């Protein structure tokens, strides 16, 4: 892992930065400028994060590599509600992590949405295929 100068002057690993060199502090500062009238305190309150914690991330006095997935997603959602375009990828990359795939519940919901759009005969076929896949997985 390569070492690059951190904006604070310290050396940090390249995993601490999003593509293009934007760490979480830089990302939050940039996005907050796109949300006129909004502050770190507003973001912390609406994302369910304590203000001292958020402020420490912005001031780079607290590490960001172990931030809960839910907190990162909550910040994305707050910025989106404020009309600021951002993505989970921006946030996860800024803390040196890949974007996680959909949760189990999200996959189940997607499968159910697709199932309901199928004609009844195809729904039956899908159930038969799923049962066959389950049987096969039990054998292996």
């Amino acid at each position: 892992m390569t070492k690059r100068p951190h904006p604070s002057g310290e050396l940090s690993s390249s995993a601490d930065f999003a593509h293009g060199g934007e760490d979480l502090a830089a990302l939050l500062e940039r996005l907050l400028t796109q949300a006129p009238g909004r502050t770190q305190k507003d973001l912390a309150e609406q994302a369910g994060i304590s203000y001292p914690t958020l402020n420490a991330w912005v001031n780079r006095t607290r590490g960001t590599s172990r931030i809960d997935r839910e907190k990162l997603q909550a910040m994305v959602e707050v910025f989106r509600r404020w009309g600021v375009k951002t993505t989970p990828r921006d946030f996860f990359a800024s803390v040196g992590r890949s974007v996680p795939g959909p949760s189990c519940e999200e996959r189940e919901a997607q499968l159910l949405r697709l199932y309901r759009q199928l004609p009844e005969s195809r729904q039956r076929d899908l159930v038969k295929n799923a049962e066959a896949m389950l049987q096969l997985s039990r054998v292996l």
Side-chain angles (χ1 to χ4, degrees), residues 69-86:
R69 165 188 172 156
E70 293 79 20
K71 289 181 182 175
L72 293 170
Q73 188 62 46
M75 288 188 285
V76 171
E77 292 169 11
V78 169
F79 278 112
R80 287 179 173 174
R81 280 197 309 268
W82 292 348
V84 177
K85 291 186 180 183
T86 191

Side-chain angles (χ1 to χ4, degrees), residues 87-133:
T87 65
R89 180 173 310 284
D90 295 334
F91 275 80
F92 281 85
S94 76
V95 296
R97 296 184 359 220
S98 59
V99 180
S103 68
C104 185
E105 293 86 12
E106 291 166 329
R107 287 191 309 271
E108 287 177 3
Q110 179 186 17
L111 185 57
L112 187 55
R113 278 192 306 274
L114 293 170
Y115 175 84
R116 288 178 175 159
Q117 293 175 34
L118 292 171
E120 189 175 335
S121 63
R122 292 294 186 189
Q123 288 176 350
R124 285 192 297 269
D125 291 342
L126 183 59
V127 169
K128 286 179 186 175
N129 285 333
E131 289 170 342
M133 289 170 54

Side-chain angles (χ1 to χ4, degrees), residues 6-8 10 12 23-25 29 40 51-65 67:
H6 192 277
S8 67
E10 301 171 14
S12 292
D23 67 354
L24 182 63
E29 288 172 5
Q40 289 180 31
Y51 171 71
T53 297
L54 182 74
N55 186 258
W57 294 336
V58 171
N59 291 320
R60 298 180 177 96
T61 58
R62 182 179 219 170
T64 59
S65 63
I67 297 174

